[in-house]
Amino acid sequence: MRNNPKLLLYILMLSSLGINTPLSIIGIISEISQFFNTSIAISGLYVSSFTFTIAIFGLFTPMIFSRFERKTTFISILSIFAVSNFIIMFTNDILVASFFRILSAAFYPAFISIALTVCEEIAPEGEKQDYITRILLGISVGSIVGLPITTALGTIFGYQIAMSWIFAFNFLTLLLIILFFPRIPGKYENHELPFSALKSREFILASLGIIMMPIGASIVYNYLPYFLQNVSHIYTYKLSVFLFIYGLFSIFGTWLGGKLIVINDKITLIVFQIVCALVFVSLYFSADYLILVLILILIFGILDGMGYNLIQYIETSVLSDNLELANGIFLSILNGGIAIGIAIGGFLVDGLGVMSIFVFGTIFLILALVLLFYVIYILKINLKYS
């Protein structure tokens, strides 16, 4: 079975997609509120608890699970997801549902991190970045394309039906791992944290630089529906269709990011910040021109998808000797940045109006540009493809 790395890749890609679908319930907060008879604020905390948990547990669970046999690890984690989503589907107590949502999220970083590591191990020579990109595509598809599916099922049939498809997909990927995935030993040789690398100026500045990317992008992305409704006056099914198209562009961006990194990693990392900042500035000044706004948002969709690859690439470059830890930190930075961006964006919309998201999104990207330029061209950090 290990002689067929493509099959293993697609199984891991589907599994990564499956365990990312719980993020897609952000589109049914109203239905969650009605089902549990709670406020929108409490329902929002229930939804965001998944992301916050990933950000915290991504720092250490990948290291803990790296020593165990891969198939057993994948089956154990997917089983936890399946059981948790099954219970969430039927309980009407939001505290019970929150416990199992947080429980499954705690194991999410270990699964994704080890899946990325396995892909690097099984990839043929010269195809490592392509294999990594496929897993990142699974993450992207699970949260972005899963959003309109979950939203449609939730708004038409209710919260429980929306959760049922998430459970079904998790269970399907569990069966695929049980039936077709081979046994692959874990890494036993070294599980100590590389404190010297984590304390280095290169790691700290690079990590600060790349966390600015998801913060800036999240400030804008998570309030785009609000912007489109209140400024561009796009409502109901038109909004859902456009967000679905945005998701497709984002998936393309994830693929494109992987290709551009291999061609020229340094230029890609720097130009990304510049182009994304210019898109935000253009959106601020062209809000009254609907067609231009839609084009700019789709360009941002491509850039948003590219961000997955860029963040993961930086972390695995500065921590190349410990891939599980690097991938865990990647997940913490990505999800922590998203959570921070959502919080900042909420305060901005309430206090300064929705147009302020583009201003502050630009500021965070400029900070990312300055920090990454410094670590790449002044400190000259080692990048995998340079």
Side-chain angles (χ1 to χ4, degrees):
M1 184 67 72
R2 291 190 67 174
N3 293 329
N4 191 350
K6 285 286 185 184
L7 175 61
L8 304 188
L9 170 64
Y10 287 120
I11 292 174
L12 289 176
M13 182 179 173
L14 283 173
S15 301
S16 300
L17 191 162
I19 71 167
N20 223 56
T21 50
L23 288 167
S24 66
I25 68 171
I26 191 172
I28 56 168
I29 288 180
S30 295
E31 287 70 25
I32 293 170
S33 177
Q34 293 172 10
F35 181 79
F36 290 113
N37 193 27
T38 57
S39 67
I40 292 294
I42 295 298
S43 299
L45 288 174
Y46 168 68
V47 171
S48 62
S49 64
F50 196 85
T51 305
F52 279 110
T53 304
I54 293 171
I56 295 169
F57 280 80
L59 296 172
F60 56 88
T61 54
M63 291 286 290
I64 293 172
F65 281 88
S66 66
R67 70 191 68 191
F68 301 121
E69 193 273 321
R70 307 307 198 189
K71 181 173 183 175
T72 302
T73 298
F74 290 149
I75 290 174
S76 300
I77 294 174
L78 289 175
S79 297
I80 290 169
F81 265 80
V83 171
S84 294
N85 286 319
F86 184 80
I87 293 172
I88 289 170
M89 186 167 51
F90 289 105
T91 184
N92 58 5
D93 186 330
I94 196 168
L95 293 177
V96 174
S98 296
F99 171 80
F100 283 98
R101 184 166 172 80
I102 290 169
L103 176 66
S104 57
F107 293 94
Y108 173 102
F111 186 97
I112 296 296
S113 174
I114 294 171
L116 288 166
T117 302
V118 168
C119 280
E120 291 210 43
E121 294 171 350
I122 65 173
E125 190 66 31
E127 295 185 40
K128 286 188 177 183
Q129 193 61 43
D130 285 339
Y131 273 54
I132 290 169
T133 298
R134 299 296 177 88
I135 300 300
L136 298 177
L137 278 172
I139 298 172
S140 181
V141 172
S143 57
I144 294 172
V145 175
L147 176 60
I149 296 173
T150 304
T151 302
L153 290 173
T155 52
I156 296 170
F157 300 107
Y159 166 75
Q160 285 182 302
I161 298 299
M163 289 305 303
S164 68
W165 98 270
I166 292 174
F167 161 75
F169 206 108
N170 286 161
F171 189 71
L172 172 63
T173 57
L174 171 61
L175 291 179
L176 288 174
I177 293 288
I178 291 173
L179 294 174
F180 299 110
F181 205 83
R183 295 198 171 275
I184 301 175
K187 293 183 176 180
Y188 291 87
E189 66 273 18
N190 180 22
H191 301 290
E192 295 181 2
L193 286 174
F195 288 109
S196 59
L198 295 178
K199 292 188 294 184
S200 70
R201 181 172 55 168
E202 290 81 0
F203 169 78
I204 293 170
L205 291 178
S207 297
L208 282 175
I210 58 176
I211 198 172
M212 299 298 169
M213 293 164 55
I215 291 174
S218 183
I219 286 173
V220 174
Y221 168 73
N222 286 283
Y223 297 93
L224 276 179
Y226 186 89
F227 166 77
L228 290 169
Q229 288 173 325
N230 291 276
V231 178
S232 300
H233 306 296
I234 299 177
Y235 305 103
T236 59
Y237 76 93
K238 291 181 181 178
L239 179 61
S240 297
V241 170
F242 180 72
L243 291 176
F244 180 76
I245 296 171
Y246 174 96
L248 296 179
F249 273 71
S250 184
I251 292 167
F252 169 73
T254 303
W255 173 85
L256 179 64
K259 296 296 183 183
L260 291 177
I261 284 172
V262 175
I263 295 171
N264 195 321
D265 49 8
K266 292 180 180 179
I267 296 298
T268 300
L269 288 162
I270 297 302
V271 171
F272 171 89
Q273 321 299 331
I274 298 171
V275 174
C276 199
L278 288 174
V279 168
F280 289 172
V281 171
S282 300
L283 280 166
Y284 182 86
F285 287 108
S286 60
D288 295 329
Y289 303 95
L290 179 60
I291 299 301
L292 181 56
V293 163
L294 297 181
I295 292 171
L296 288 168
I297 289 175
L298 292 179
I299 293 172
F300 171 54
I302 296 173
L303 296 167
D304 192 24
M306 287 177 63
Y308 287 89
N309 258 304
L310 303 187
I311 297 171
Q312 194 270 349
Y313 178 70
I314 283 283
E315 284 302 332
T316 53
S317 290
V318 295
L319 292 174
S320 58
D321 294 333
N322 201 315
L323 292 178
E324 283 90 355
L325 177 62
N327 287 319
I329 292 175
F330 150 66
L331 292 168
S332 292
I333 285 176
L334 176 64
N335 289 278
I338 290 171
I340 293 169
I342 292 172
I344 292 174
F347 285 111
L348 290 172
V349 171
D350 285 342
L352 300 175
V354 70
M355 296 305 296
S356 65
I357 63 175
F358 301 116
V359 176
F360 282 83
T362 302
I363 290 172
F364 277 99
L365 287 173
I366 291 173
L367 290 172
L369 172 64
V370 172
L371 286 166
L372 290 178
F373 184 88
Y374 181 75
V375 297
I376 291 171
Y377 288 102
I378 307 300
L379 297 182
K380 300 183 184 301
I381 62 170
N382 294 319
L383 295 173
K384 287 190 289 184
Y385 299 126
S386 290

